[in-house]
Amino acid sequence: MKKEEFKTITVEGKKYKLGFPTRKSVKKAEELGLNLLEVGKVATLQDKLFFTGLYSYQEWITEDEAERIEEKFIEDTTEDKQTLDEITGFLTTQYMGFINLQAIQKATK
């Protein structure tokens, strides 16, 4: 089975892809402020994941535009639509797929 490379969402009739397809996209997300260690800031983390996940496929998108898209996505009550939690979980899993925690632990000992 092939690993899912991105999620597609539809907001106001327009399709957007979200994901972290490459290590470079993960590094760009960190440059744009994504920090999974900020566990006390759950809403901020979720917003940054959404923004940077969008940015990976739509480099023209601004953080403000991503926030507007996210708000519209949350407001959509279509029965079969994905939830923000599902999108966040997918993006977190993808991001973590590029992190070698054992190497980090070894290097920081």
Side-chain angles (χ1 to χ4, degrees), residues 38-96:
E38 288 188 278
V39 292
K41 298 180 178 181
V42 177
T44 299
L45 175 59
Q46 203 165 38
D47 291 351
K48 284 289 184 185
L49 274 166
F50 196 89
F51 163 54
T52 57
L54 280 171
Y55 185 87
S56 291
Y57 286 98
Q58 292 91 196
E59 290 188 1
W60 54 265
I61 204 151
T62 64
E63 198 161 359
D64 287 339
E65 179 66 6
E67 186 176 317
R68 187 192 72 73
I69 292 167
E70 182 181 12
E71 290 298 327
K72 292 292 183 185
F73 177 77
I74 293 167
E75 290 171 9
D76 183 359
T77 56
T78 306
E79 211 172 289
D80 62 344
K81 125 181 153 54
Q82 301 169 83
T83 66
L84 185 58
D85 287 344
E86 289 170 325
I87 295 295
T88 300
F90 170 77
L91 292 171
T92 301
T93 299
Q94 264 205 325
Y95 177 93
M96 293 305 291

Side-chain angles (χ1 to χ4, degrees), residues 11-61:
V11 175
E12 297 179 319
K14 187 169 180 178
K15 291 192 180 300
Y16 299 92
K17 290 181 182 178
L18 295 100
F20 299 113
T22 63
R23 186 169 184 77
K24 184 177 180 179
S25 67
V26 167
K27 288 169 40 178
K28 184 63 178 178
E30 290 175 343
E31 289 173 18
L32 291 169
L34 180 60
N35 179 355
L36 291 186
L37 297 177
E38 288 188 278
V39 292
K41 298 180 178 181
V42 177
T44 299
L45 175 59
Q46 203 165 38
D47 291 351
K48 284 289 184 185
L49 274 166
F50 196 89
F51 163 54
T52 57
L54 280 171
Y55 185 87
S56 291
Y57 286 98
Q58 292 91 196
E59 290 188 1
W60 54 265
I61 204 151

